Amino acid sequence: MTSAHAAALDTAGDVEGRSLWQDAWRRLKRNRAALASMIILGVVAAVCLIGPYTLPWPYDAIDWDHVEAMPPNMELGHYLGTDSVGRDLLARTLVGGRVSLMVGVLATMVALFIGVTVGAVAGFVGGRVDQLLMRLVDLLYSVPLTFFVIILMVMFGRNFILMFLAIGAVEWLTMARIVRGQTLSLKSKEFIEAARASGGSTAGIILRHVVPNVLGVVIVYVTLTIPQVILLESFLSFLGLGVQEPFTSWGVLLNEGAAELEVNPQTLIVPAVFMTATLFCFNFLGDGLRDALDPKDR
Amino acid sequence: MSETLLDVKDLKVHYPVRTGGLVIGTYTPLKALDGVSFELKAGETLGVVGESGCGKSTLGRAVLQLLPATGGAVAWLGRALNDLDAKALKAERERMQIVFQDPLASLDPRMTAGDIIAEPLRNYRPHMSKAEMKAKVKDMMGRVGLHSTMINRYPHEFSGGQCQRIGIARAMILDPKLVVCDEPVSALDVSIRAQVVNLLMELQRAMNLAMIFISHDLSIVRHISHRVMVLYLGKTMEIAPRDALYAAPRHPYTQALLSAVPVPDPTIARARPRLALAGELPSPLNPPSGCVFRTRCPRATKVCAEVEPTRAQPGTGHDVWCHHWRESGLETKVAP
Ligand code: SF4
């Protein structure tokens, strides 16, 4: 066949391929729990983002006529009641959700970036570099997380950005280990050798071949890390190290609600429902992704 | 035939293997390849045969510098490859490629056939336009017998034979001068082996390729090779032009291997002596003294255990490493 002939064919009759991602997506769509989780998560995220603008009460406004916790009251516009100082509970829960989700996602992204880079380089380059990086990971593992975050908070003050940086900086350790393990098993595959024989550089091979092939495992781990981080943020808020008043997060709301549980159960129940639903959905989604991305494991 | 492309001299690949010691390990070298020499010209195929674990694959990878050699020299067009830095090596590698054993494992599952075949182009022709690259890939797909409309398909959508054709296309797209084929058909169905071997031979003739064809299948090697090298425990036992080797093998190991090849004609099969190989392959960590083959050799004598055989030349271009090659009765010679 001449190249002119080949060029004439061009894209005309090209058959579309089905990538492994597309396969995984189809399997995921067939998994009801995962699909429902995705939808619920989407709704929660959308409501948290848009919801506060449509409510009659802003999250930080005190209803001066009713400066006390109040059960749901449709006429006044407190659809899910108010907290102990008369602020609208729904608005606060939604705004708190923004914070919690953002911390969860951003901290996980930080963890993802550091973890994948360190893991892939350590696993692929091997030798001394591997030893050095992994001993560093071991070392950081031995530092108690809360202790680390508390020290940071004390040193730099209660800073919102600092919090997710701190959480992300700790969560990457497991990611790095997972990615390293995957990379090691990939490294012995012939297609990596083939890439080298084709003139690929180490960095190029890591980017083109290693990272796309560990991404499946990484995505699963990400969906399981986000809820962990949300919980961690709640825990820190519980200790009083989280976001500051009047700003809020699910953890802060839970903390306040727990104190009021006997008198005003809704102050605990509302944020708790949102948060547990979110955590559950992330876990179901993670399980679904794991099954979809690696059908051999079943 | 023309100039010498590849000149391999006394190539050695030893791995240190930890064999003991609690804190400070004691290491024994595993001699995967221990002093192998050969030359290769353009358009010539060297078949490399031997049992698994004899260093065949190590040889192919060490020649391409995919594995670091611990001794000896590989000269490519007169230039030494051994101690080139990464950049110089990349430049030299442009003309040497490899086809792997496992067709599916040698293709990145996340890339399309087109991307896989184009990968060497992206590395070596960074300025080539997308359209030009695509045309070249499609042309290559046609040459290896793949429908060029399959360019967007993924490896898992192809059969084993087609995957191997993708691997071959990737190896050929830069117009190499040397291709190492590491058991390219042993993972394939018997029914399609011949097609792939014929494709390789066709491409070789068309492109005047030098080829190192590694296999444990002596019939295929006979079909494709001009010269054949027999390896055992990382050492060359015998190297000879194809016809000389198959007609008059001098080394007891070669004779044993050949006698194990099934022959279609039952009368010949019955007439032919069976030289079964006794025992197992010794550990390469602790190879036998003297001749490494002596533990399984039917003709081994005292001298074999004491002295390592040196090269003898029963014919032109025919080298054998055996003390008793003269006695290695040609009664085992079988007309094909
Ligand atoms: S040197 Fe001795 S042991 Fe080795 S192959 Fe020849 S006869 Fe056999």
Side-chain angles (χ1 to χ4, degrees), chain B residues 251-252 291 293-294 297 299-300 304 322-324:
Chain B
H251 198 282
C291 170
F293 185 55
R294 74 177 161 83
C297 180
R299 259 190 294 276
C304 302
C322 171
H323 293 299
H324 303 299

Side-chain angles (χ1 to χ4, degrees), chain A residues 1 10-11 15 193 209, chain B residues 61 108 119 134 138-139 149:
Chain A
M1 199 193 283
D10 207 22
T11 51
V15 185
E193 215 177 356
H209 299 284
Chain B
R61 284 165 170 77
D108 188 332
E119 183 157 16
K134 192 168 176 188
K138 286 195 157 193
D139 178 41
T149 50

